[in-house]
Amino acid sequence: VTYDTLQCVDGHSRKRARSSSPRPARSRAPRTSETDGGSRAERKRRTREALIAAAFRMLERHSFDRLSLREVAREAGVVPTAFYRHFENMDALGLVLVDESFRTLRDLLRDARTGALEPERIIRSSVQILVRHTHEHRQQFRFIARERYSGVTTLRYAIRSEIRLFASELATDLARFPGLNRWTTEDLNMMAGLIVNTMVSTVEGILDAPLDSPVAEDEIIRIAEKQLILVALGAAQWRVID
Amino acid sequence: VTYDTLQCVDGHSRKRARSSSPRPARSRAPRTSETDGGSRAERKRRTREALIAAAFRMLERHSFDRLSLREVAREAGVVPTAFYRHFENMDALGLVLVDESFRTLRDLLRDARTGALEPERIIRSSVQILVRHTHEHRQQFRFIARERYSGVTTLRYAIRSEIRLFASELATDLARFPGLNRWTTEDLNMMAGLIVNTMVSTVEGILDAPLDSPVAEDEIIRIAEKQLILVALGAAQWRVID
DNA sequence: TGTACATCAGTGAACGCGCGTTCACTGATGTAC
DNA sequence: TGTACATCAGTGAACGCGCGTTCACTGATGTAC
């Protein structure tokens, strides 16, 4: 459905256009009481979620910078102006996406905390958890990886500060390990940063690997494990120069 | 200067528009024999470089996905249609930018090769070289960091494969170190990947740090050095499990 | 319980704008004789 | 060396299109009595 038509700024042709072309039926499914129950507030919430989901879906193919308000609204099955009932503008939507994405990232950390304790096994299981979450929340992970260094300043800063927060949570977890409990905060954050970087690049590797190629994914996993083991080995020696 | 005006598709008003408004003077400096010497081929080369430079300049503020052909042409002081004399489309320009950026990145590696030999000193000097190159080629480095995971598939793949190449060159260099010369190729690439990730995130930190705050930059440098030392320490232990 | 009014999520037309691309053109540079 | 013609980098007008945002609106849901 096209809402705009280019016309002469001229009363006659405008009137003609109005009367000559009867409106075509809406192409999306009409709302029925069957598909569309709930209170007004509930339905508003659903539209909001539809906009968020639409944005995430489109972000698999484009950067946020490229998304247009109209595209998102269209994908959500809603008229462009309805967007404004939920978000002030696209930036506001972007910040909500950052929030949602990092909420799922924190779940990952919580999952990982319940893992095994020996250094070698904890790395294996952590990478496993990372891979599982990556597949379960492809859209959120892709969004973070893509926009971390993006051209949209607002998002870049929001993600940067969330990643810093995430890294310092990870640092707190690291501090519980026998060899690391005497480290300075800066050093723990330094190591956490190294781990987070490795995680992010692993995630991107998995997301961009051919979906049907478990071989490529296995290689990415093997390399990630080795990288983390290398870091752990380095950490074990760190006291030497501390 | 506006090239387009919205008009009725109507002979009369079009003719009117043509005759009524005399063309305003070009806003950019007119070409003179003084500023504009050289053969035809030479001047074409200069326009091409102007387009590339314009794109790099604009990429400091936006992602490539967001750049428009017209903006780039405008910034280069050239009419939009002139763009096509040099590049088939924006994607083609993007690939040239990738090329140029990685050429300067290779210079960095060459510079680093002439550094000191003891592990600790080589890290210090490498980071120093990295920081210097980052400042000298801000635009290229920012472009790589930003578009590495970008929404533009063509660029992402081009950059990814260049980074892989870069990492394997680095791996070759690593293989020369006493402790590492018996490592498998995969393990060398694994370690190189870890180092490259650290480099990229260091570069982004430096680029986004307040320009007038040497304190923030010093912290970034200190952390990068520590991360590389950690990796080196891990590498020294790697044989244990090899 | 029923009625009258308020709320407000979503609609659709309209606006002015910048976009990518086409086209016929201009006029300085380059080349052949 | 001079002349006549070819080349081609850059120009400017035009096209149809999608954009963000405004506005007055509609009609189902919610509320007060």
Side-chain angles (χ1 to χ4, degrees):
Chain A
V1 183
T2 320
Y3 302 107
D4 297 339
T5 40
L6 208 70
Q7 293 169 352
C8 276
V9 188
D10 153 22
H12 290 298
S13 57
R14 204 187 293 170
K15 218 193 281 171
R16 206 188 321 116
R18 257 186 195 153
S19 56
S20 64
S21 54
R23 181 182 319 298
R26 295 297 304 268
S27 60
R28 61 194 169 86
R31 309 206 133 187
T32 66
S33 57
E34 199 176 0
T35 63
D36 205 45
S39 67
R40 179 146 75 186
E42 167 63 14
R43 284 197 291 163
K44 179 169 186 181
R45 195 193 55 76
R46 280 216 296 270
T47 304
R48 188 186 137 100
E49 305 242 307
L51 286 165
I52 291 170
F56 270 128
R57 237 176 291 132
M58 306 178 71
L59 283 166
E60 300 202 38
R61 305 173 51 75
H62 297 293
S63 68
F64 187 81
D65 221 7
R66 236 287 187 91
L67 288 201
S68 77
L69 184 153
R70 283 175 106 104
E71 278 180 315
V72 173
R74 200 180 305 128
E75 175 82 12
V78 121
V79 119
T81 42
F83 182 95
Y84 292 107
R85 296 275 177 210
H86 303 276
F87 306 100
E88 202 192 326
N89 50 40
M90 284 294 287
D91 268 18
L93 170 60
L95 292 177
V96 170
L97 299 185
V98 173
D99 252 44
E100 293 236 337
S101 300
F102 275 92
R103 203 168 318 138
T104 77
L105 202 58
R106 290 230 175 65
D107 292 348
L108 184 149
L109 209 57
R110 190 150 33 75
D111 264 32
R113 271 191 203 107
T114 66
L117 278 171
E118 314 95 274
E120 178 118 6
R121 284 190 56 199
I122 211 173
I123 284 174
R124 267 213 122 84
S125 77
S126 295
V127 171
Q128 221 164 53
I129 290 167
L130 180 69
V131 172
R132 183 164 53 77
H133 277 252
T134 303
H135 283 301
E136 282 171 13
H137 309 284
R138 290 183 79 80
Q139 295 173 334
Q140 284 88 339
F141 277 62
R142 173 164 271 149
F143 175 66
I144 293 174
R146 287 247 173 110
E147 304 300 329
R148 182 160 74 130
Y149 297 138
S150 83
V152 183
T153 313
T154 323
L155 289 194
R156 205 170 62 244
Y157 285 171
I159 290 176
R160 169 113 20 122
S161 86
E162 287 279 2
I163 283 193
R164 244 196 292 259
L165 215 75
F166 181 80
S168 77
E169 279 183 48
L170 181 59
T172 311
D173 287 353
L174 289 176
R176 296 208 186 87
F177 284 85
L180 307 178
N181 49 10
R182 303 292 302 269
W183 282 32
T184 65
T185 308
E186 177 175 300
D187 285 0
L188 286 169
N189 275 310
M190 174 276 291
M191 181 174 168
L194 203 49
I195 293 172
V196 169
N197 279 342
T198 305
M199 284 171 54
V200 173
S201 99
T202 302
V203 165
E204 248 297 320
I206 289 171
L207 289 176
D208 257 17
L211 265 176
D212 51 351
S213 159
V215 182
E217 186 169 308
D218 284 352
E219 192 188 321
I220 292 167
I221 291 173
R222 198 171 60 245
I223 287 178
E225 285 174 358
K226 283 186 173 182
Q227 288 177 331
L228 292 176
I229 289 170
L230 196 71
V231 170
L233 287 172
Q237 296 303 107
W238 187 252
R239 52 187 163 68
V240 173
I241 60 159
D242 187 32
Chain B
V1 183
T2 318
Y3 300 107
D4 296 338
T5 40
L6 207 70
Q7 293 171 350
C8 277
V9 188
D10 153 24
H12 289 297
S13 56
R14 203 186 293 169
K15 218 193 282 171
R16 208 188 318 118
R18 256 184 195 152
S19 56
S20 66
S21 55
R23 181 180 321 296
R26 295 298 304 267
S27 59
R28 61 196 170 84
R31 308 207 134 185
T32 66
S33 57
E34 199 177 0
T35 63
D36 204 45
S39 68
R40 179 146 75 185
E42 167 64 12
R43 283 197 291 162
K44 179 171 187 180
R45 196 193 54 75
R46 278 216 297 270
T47 304
R48 190 186 135 98
E49 305 242 307
L51 285 165
I52 291 170
F56 269 128
R57 238 176 291 131
M58 304 178 69
L59 282 166
E60 300 204 38
R61 306 174 49 76
H62 296 292
S63 68
F64 186 81
D65 220 8
R66 235 288 187 89
L67 288 200
S68 78
L69 184 153
R70 284 175 105 105
E71 277 179 317
V72 173
R74 201 180 305 129
E75 175 81 13
V78 119
V79 119
T81 42
F83 182 94
Y84 294 105
R85 296 276 177 213
H86 304 275
F87 306 99
E88 202 193 326
N89 50 39
M90 283 295 286
D91 267 19
L93 169 61
L95 292 177
V96 171
L97 299 185
V98 173
D99 252 44
E100 294 236 335
S101 299
F102 275 92
R103 203 170 316 137
T104 75
L105 202 58
R106 290 229 174 64
D107 291 348
L108 183 150
L109 209 56
R110 192 151 31 75
D111 264 32
R113 272 192 202 105
T114 66
L117 277 172
E118 314 96 272
E120 177 117 9
R121 281 191 58 201
I122 211 174
I123 285 174
R124 267 213 121 83
S125 78
S126 296
V127 171
Q128 220 163 57
I129 290 166
L130 180 68
V131 173
R132 182 164 53 76
H133 276 252
T134 303
H135 284 300
E136 281 171 14
H137 309 285
R138 289 184 79 79
Q139 296 173 333
Q140 285 89 338
F141 278 61
R142 172 163 272 150
F143 175 67
I144 293 175
R146 287 249 171 110
E147 305 300 329
R148 181 161 75 133
Y149 297 138
S150 82
V152 184
T153 314
T154 324
L155 289 194
R156 205 170 61 245
Y157 285 170
I159 290 177
R160 170 110 22 121
S161 85
E162 287 280 1
I163 283 193
R164 244 196 292 258
L165 216 76
F166 181 80
S168 77
E169 279 183 47
L170 181 59
T172 311
D173 286 353
L174 289 176
R176 295 207 186 87
F177 284 86
L180 307 178
N181 48 10
R182 304 292 301 270
W183 282 30
T184 65
T185 309
E186 177 176 300
D187 285 359
L188 285 169
N189 275 310
M190 175 274 293
M191 182 173 167
L194 203 49
I195 293 172
V196 169
N197 280 341
T198 305
M199 283 171 55
V200 173
S201 98
T202 301
V203 165
E204 249 296 320
I206 289 171
L207 289 176
D208 256 17
L211 265 174
D212 51 350
S213 160
V215 181
E217 186 168 308
D218 284 353
E219 193 188 319
I220 291 167
I221 292 172
R222 200 172 59 244
I223 286 178
E225 285 174 359
K226 283 185 172 183
Q227 289 177 330
L228 292 176
I229 290 170
L230 195 71
V231 170
L233 287 172
Q237 297 303 107
W238 188 250
R239 51 185 164 69
V240 173
I241 60 158
D242 189 29

